Amino acid sequence: MSSAGSVAALSEAEFAAQVREWLAENLNGEFRDLRGLGGPGREHEAFDERLAWDRHLAAAGWTCLGWPVEYGGRAASVRQQIIFHEEYAKANAPARVSHVGEELLGPTVLAFGTQEQKERFLPGIRNVTELWCQGYSEPGAGSDLAAITTSARRDGDEWSINGQKIWTSLAHVADWCFVVARTERGSSRHKGLSYLLVPMRQPGIEVRPIVQLTGTAEFNEVFFDDARTEAGLVVGDPGDGWRIAMGTLTFERGISTLGQQIRFARELAGVEELARRTGAIDDPLLADRIDEAWIGLRVLRAHAIRTMEGTGADDGGQASVAKLLWANWHRDLGDLAMAVRGATGLVAEDGDLDEWQRLYLFTRADTIYGGSNEVQRNIISERVLGLPREARP
């Protein structure tokens, strides 16, 4: 597996300068017009071109920075990874199409996978030749993930999978899906689940798009009808899927969130500029809300760095706190954008949404996907504070 070599010996200033220089030189030519494209609610924008950009990054050694060198990474420190994501966002580089593989499945395989699984799947993630999606939520198991009913049974050298997943981001372009399925007949809740790696391009899988409020369709329903995967493509032991799945969710709320916050800051700056241009900034209540949003961003950054660098208490609830903080902040930014727009924000010109209307509509989902507010608060109350468990049917 190719790699550009370790960056561990570089100082933070040297590494930041290297990232800035490379981005300045390469976000040009065929990639010049990709700046600012893509991301949640906008994954349809220039997808093929962004995929080519991701592969260009990979060829230069800018994917999977924190991975060990022997698996194609560059052994970057936490601080260096933070620097990369922040510099990438500051350059307004396009949203990555390989996020699910690089930030979720890759670290999961590194932490829990067999050597054979590492050798088989990490090169495709690192080189962006195989794209992934996440098969967790179901119609009856969204916020209550332990209610999963999708089943898998061993059939010789394969698993046979039947059931339905929903809200599966980018399933329509994915080559593989990591699927949490019930593999022990008669099991319930967290027991009897397994974490399977399933090829998407096979007759037993049907993907149906879900049209969102924004009119786009990056979420999907995925139906498994005797879909197949090899017997050895279980991460961890059969029946241990809940532990592996929770590990993936921890990786999901990792270092890339610092880059996310740079994009949030750019959106906030745009809302403030709009308020100044329209005169809405003269409303003291709106001005106060803009100031509060600025303060909230600083809280997000301070919390993220404190937890990622291990300086905070390791109480197991840090990922849930982070999700609550950014999801509510971003939803409130959508509300603020509409307040600044005023009555004109209620009308879509020629039927097309502008960036603020799209921001408002898509951020309605922020407090739901990736674990709803209610689920995050339950995790904190039960697992961290030790409060009584919520009554369940």
Side-chain angles (χ1 to χ4, degrees):
M1 188 183 300
S2 62
S3 171
S6 174
V7 294
L10 294 177
S11 70
E12 292 179 12
E14 290 171 334
F15 181 73
Q18 190 179 100
V19 175
R20 283 195 298 271
E21 180 180 351
W22 190 89
L23 288 170
E25 290 178 355
N26 286 268
L27 274 172
N28 285 298
E30 62 178 306
F31 301 122
R32 179 187 301 275
D33 295 334
L34 296 183
R35 292 176 185 267
L37 296 185
R42 300 166 55 197
E43 292 289 0
H44 61 288
E45 295 177 341
F47 183 86
D48 290 340
E49 293 82 356
R50 290 191 292 123
L51 176 58
W53 164 253
D54 268 19
R55 291 173 175 168
H56 185 66
L57 283 168
W62 291 113
T63 57
C64 307
L65 289 175
W67 292 12
V69 172
E70 60 264 35
Y71 294 116
R74 302 183 70 181
S77 67
V78 170
R79 177 63 69 169
Q80 286 174 324
Q81 293 175 67
I82 290 172
I83 288 170
F84 174 80
H85 284 289
E86 292 192 331
E87 292 296 337
Y88 188 91
K90 289 175 183 177
N92 204 21
R96 306 282 301 281
V97 303
S98 57
H99 171 83
V100 176
E102 181 171 341
E103 303 292 345
L104 280 69
L105 193 276
T108 301
V109 171
L110 279 169
F112 306 108
T114 64
Q115 186 61 33
E116 291 77 11
Q117 290 167 353
K118 293 173 185 177
E119 292 174 357
R120 179 168 180 177
F121 293 110
L122 295 184
I125 295 171
R126 191 268 180 198
N127 298 324
V128 200
T129 54
E130 291 182 328
L131 300 180
W132 287 80
C133 62
Q134 179 178 13
Y136 276 22
S137 295
E138 299 181 5
S143 295
D144 185 12
L145 189 60
I148 282 173
T149 60
T150 293
S151 65
R153 62 176 179 83
R154 186 71 178 266
D155 183 12
D157 293 333
E158 295 180 318
W159 292 97
S160 172
I161 305 156
N162 287 277
Q164 178 186 358
K165 297 294 180 178
I166 198 168
W167 313 121
T168 310
S169 298
L170 300 179
H172 57 294
V173 295
D175 303 293
W176 288 83
C177 182
F178 48 97
V179 177
V180 179
R182 195 163 296 283
T183 53
E184 295 181 9
R185 188 184 300 272
S187 64
S188 63
R189 304 300 299 167
H190 310 92
K191 298 180 180 180
L193 300 173
S194 296
Y195 192 107
L196 306 176
L197 308 180
V198 182
M200 289 291 290
R201 306 186 190 284
Q202 59 171 299
I205 293 181
E206 180 185 359
V207 178
R208 299 179 189 172
I210 299 173
V211 179
Q212 300 148 196
L213 287 173
T214 55
T216 56
E218 64 198 54
F219 298 134
N220 302 272
E221 294 177 283
V222 181
F223 296 86
F224 300 88
D225 183 9
D226 195 27
R228 297 280 168 153
T229 196
E230 296 173 20
L233 296 188
V234 182
V235 180
D237 295 326
D240 195 28
W242 182 261
R243 182 175 68 92
I244 310 301
M246 294 303 100
T248 300
L249 290 179
T250 299
F251 296 128
E252 183 178 23
R253 292 156 196 163
I255 291 169
S256 63
T257 59
L258 272 299
Q260 175 193 58
Q261 291 171 22
I262 299 294
R263 292 188 289 275
F264 287 174
R266 188 176 292 117
E267 290 173 343
L268 175 59
V271 171
E272 182 175 3
E273 193 279 330
L274 175 65
R276 295 187 184 281
R277 188 170 68 247
T278 62
I281 195 72
D282 296 329
D283 181 335
L285 295 179
L286 284 179
D288 282 348
R289 289 176 65 181
I290 291 172
D291 289 342
E292 289 172 359
W294 185 91
I295 293 169
L297 262 183
R298 298 310 179 273
V299 172
L300 290 181
R301 177 177 172 78
H303 175 79
I305 291 177
R306 180 177 66 89
T307 55
M308 288 175 194
E309 294 188 332
T311 56
D314 185 15
D315 59 14
Q318 294 168 350
S320 293
V321 172
K323 175 60 167 61
L324 283 171
L325 287 173
W326 77 253
N328 286 283
W329 185 93
H330 203 216
R331 178 202 58 196
D332 292 347
L333 182 67
D335 291 338
L336 176 58
M338 285 296 95
V340 169
R341 282 291 310 273
T344 60
L346 300 176
V347 179
E349 295 292 337
D350 299 322
D352 294 326
L353 300 173
D354 65 26
E355 62 178 315
W356 307 120
Q357 293 167 329
R358 184 179 296 110
L359 175 71
Y360 170 76
L361 290 174
F362 194 84
T363 54
R364 303 306 90 193
D366 282 346
T367 59
I368 300 172
Y369 70 77
S372 69
N373 278 2
E374 291 77 12
V375 167
Q376 305 309 325
R377 291 181 178 124
N378 277 353
I379 291 172
I380 294 168
S381 65
E382 295 173 7
R383 302 182 192 174
V384 180
L385 301 178
L387 298 177
R389 292 176 62 84
E390 181 182 37
R392 290 179 171 88

